[in-house]
Amino acid sequence: EKKLGNTEFTVLVDALWQYRYIPEGVPDATRFPDFRGFIDYCHSRGHKVILWSAPLICNDNLPVDCLAKKYGMLSGEELEGFPHTQKIDFTSENAPAYMAELCETYFSDQEGCLNADGLKLDFLAALQNPETATYRHPENGLGVKEMYRMQKLLHDAAVKVKPDVLLDASTCDPRFEDIVSMNRLHDIQKVPEEREMRAMVSSLACPDLPIDSDGAIMISPWVKSAYISAVLYATPSLYYIKEFHDSVTLPDEDMLALGRLLKLSEKKQQGEAVFISQGNWCLMDGETVLGASFNGETVLIFGADNCAYLFSWNSGDMAIPFFGRKTDDPAFAVEQDMLIGTVEAGRVYKITVY
């Protein structure tokens, strides 16, 4: 909160809060002796809490009960490179009861449960291989159909416990839109362009599904340009506060500016994100432009309050398209449909429009 100057955000607790690797909502007691207390504290601060989970695999060699083993759903097939970690067979007839118990632990506010607000799903590539797996009930679906069955069971069980639960998964497939809350762009491994390319695919394949920009593997030179457009096309996700993945710490003033930028996401209206080119996006409602990013440096958002919100990482004179709007703000002028003014980097400008 202090680092970003922002008190209204969702807390995502990433991998390593659990014993690895289990899908159950069982915290690693050596690291989090009162994990429910931590979640309750976050709630008291006004934050929702999303937890990392790997739903397709389970390590059966840990000092906790393995729920998949209890329900007879371990496949016997180990995930390559992960000793004792078996894939879970979701064709099992016990899968609905298993998922119901899992979701009760994650989302219920009862004693002994976590009262979390959602899950970030990971390791979804660890699905059973139809060429080698021995399924309990193959008629329930193989391959992507087994994936759908798992996520449908998870969705249905989760909303029974917590109707507004958020399920965040890298499932860029329109057939999953009704059972996934948000499509996460996943870890960016090579170049910064990956993030926007994935976002473009997601916006085309699932235009009605919100995008989680994902902040994993974010190095410091990517930060400013990545989040300018992410504020427009996605719910921006920040994984690093003290230092980024390259061990670089950004100056406090840059982090506070980043906090102001991320908060702008709440100002945008509902629309369709359209990729123009790298660093350039539009948010559209039919033919009406609701927002735009420019060269990964500047973003303009038209709010529902008859105001435009402008943020740039650059200082100096600026001229950007204003998309048919007018303003009587003394700090800016509109000439030939271009908003013209002088701005200071890292500052949010609220501009009245008509």
Side-chain angles (χ1 to χ4, degrees):
E1 293 176 350
K2 182 178 179 180
K3 193 79 170 178
L4 295 173
N6 190 347
T7 59
E8 298 176 352
F9 53 84
T10 294
V11 175
L12 194 158
V13 186
D14 208 35
L16 299 180
W17 70 269
Q18 297 164 300
Y19 291 98
R20 302 196 80 175
Y21 290 88
I22 57 171
E24 289 92 328
V26 181
D28 183 340
T30 60
R31 303 190 72 216
F32 296 99
D34 184 15
F35 195 61
R36 171 62 186 270
F38 165 75
I39 293 176
D40 289 343
Y41 173 75
C42 289
H43 287 159
S44 75
R45 302 287 300 180
H47 306 301
K48 299 285 190 179
V49 179
I50 309 298
L51 303 179
W52 182 95
S53 178
L56 294 176
I57 53 177
C58 187
N59 186 333
D60 65 348
N61 191 39
L62 291 171
V64 294
D65 293 332
C66 176
L67 197 60
K69 185 176 183 178
K70 168 186 170 182
Y71 280 95
M73 293 173 59
L74 295 180
S75 67
E77 178 187 356
E78 281 196 359
L79 180 63
E80 185 177 356
F82 295 83
H84 308 292
T85 302
Q86 297 186 42
K87 297 181 180 181
I88 299 174
D89 183 3
F90 280 95
T91 71
S92 168
E93 71 277 11
N94 295 327
Y98 162 83
M99 199 62 86
E101 184 170 343
L102 195 74
C103 288
E104 182 72 18
T105 302
Y106 269 123
F107 306 123
S108 173
D109 61 1
Q110 298 300 305
E111 185 177 351
C113 301
L114 295 180
N115 197 24
D117 301 292
L119 297 178
K120 166 194 165 179
L121 305 183
D122 206 352
F123 279 73
L124 295 184
L127 194 67
Q128 296 186 93
N129 184 347
E131 294 182 352
T132 58
T134 301
Y135 295 95
R136 287 165 175 78
H137 289 282
E139 68 274 13
N140 284 333
L142 315 183
V144 71
K145 291 185 177 179
E146 184 188 10
M147 176 71 77
Y148 184 88
R149 174 175 165 84
M150 182 277 288
Q151 294 201 26
K152 180 72 161 60
L153 290 171
L154 172 59
H155 169 271
D156 291 353
V159 297
K160 284 183 180 178
V161 181
K162 183 158 289 184
D164 63 348
V165 68
L166 185 140
L167 301 174
D168 188 8
S170 300
T171 311
C172 184
D173 186 323
R175 294 169 293 185
F176 287 70
E177 280 189 308
D178 292 338
I179 56 174
V180 176
S181 313
M182 181 176 288
N183 181 46
R184 60 177 287 250
L185 300 183
H186 218 278
D187 302 358
I188 304 303
Q189 299 290 351
K190 302 295 183 183
V191 294
E193 290 79 10
E194 282 184 74
R195 180 172 282 101
E196 292 194 34
M197 292 299 98
R198 295 180 189 182
M200 176 185 66
V201 172
S202 181
S203 66
L204 292 172
C206 304
D208 296 326
L209 192 63
I211 298 173
D212 166 11
S213 74
D214 213 307
I217 324 297
M218 178 72 74
I219 63 174
S220 56
W222 299 354
V223 172
K224 292 184 177 181
S225 60
Y227 286 112
I228 280 286
S229 292
V231 161
L232 200 68
Y233 68 70
T235 297
S237 178
L238 180 66
Y239 278 45
Y240 306 91
I241 290 293
K242 292 183 178 179
E243 59 183 36
F244 286 86
H245 198 70
D246 54 356
S247 301
V248 172
T249 299
L250 293 185
D252 288 345
E253 57 267 28
D254 283 354
M255 292 303 294
L256 287 171
L258 180 60
R260 292 191 288 271
L261 172 62
L262 299 182
K263 190 170 175 58
L264 278 184
S265 185
E266 70 185 29
K267 298 298 184 182
K268 66 190 176 192
Q269 302 181 69
Q270 186 171 354
E272 181 179 346
V274 178
F275 176 81
I276 308 300
S277 62
Q278 194 70 29
N280 297 278
W281 287 75
C282 278
L283 186 65
M284 304 295 297
D285 179 14
E287 299 296 318
T288 302
V289 176
L290 302 177
S293 62
F294 306 95
N295 301 319
E297 299 171 342
T298 302
V299 66
L300 176 69
I301 294 174
F302 295 104
D305 55 357
N306 295 319
C307 290
Y309 295 86
L310 174 67
F311 178 98
S312 181
W313 288 115
N314 295 330
S315 293
D317 295 338
M318 174 178 295
I320 58 173
F322 211 44
F323 305 105
R325 273 78 166 191
K326 304 292 184 182
T327 184
D328 53 12
D329 192 305
F332 295 91
V334 178
E335 298 178 8
Q336 297 181 339
D337 201 29
M338 300 291 287
L339 180 69
I340 298 172
T342 302
V343 299
E344 179 183 338
R347 177 180 168 185
V348 174
Y349 292 85
K350 183 178 180 180
I351 307 167
T352 56
V353 299
Y354 60 91

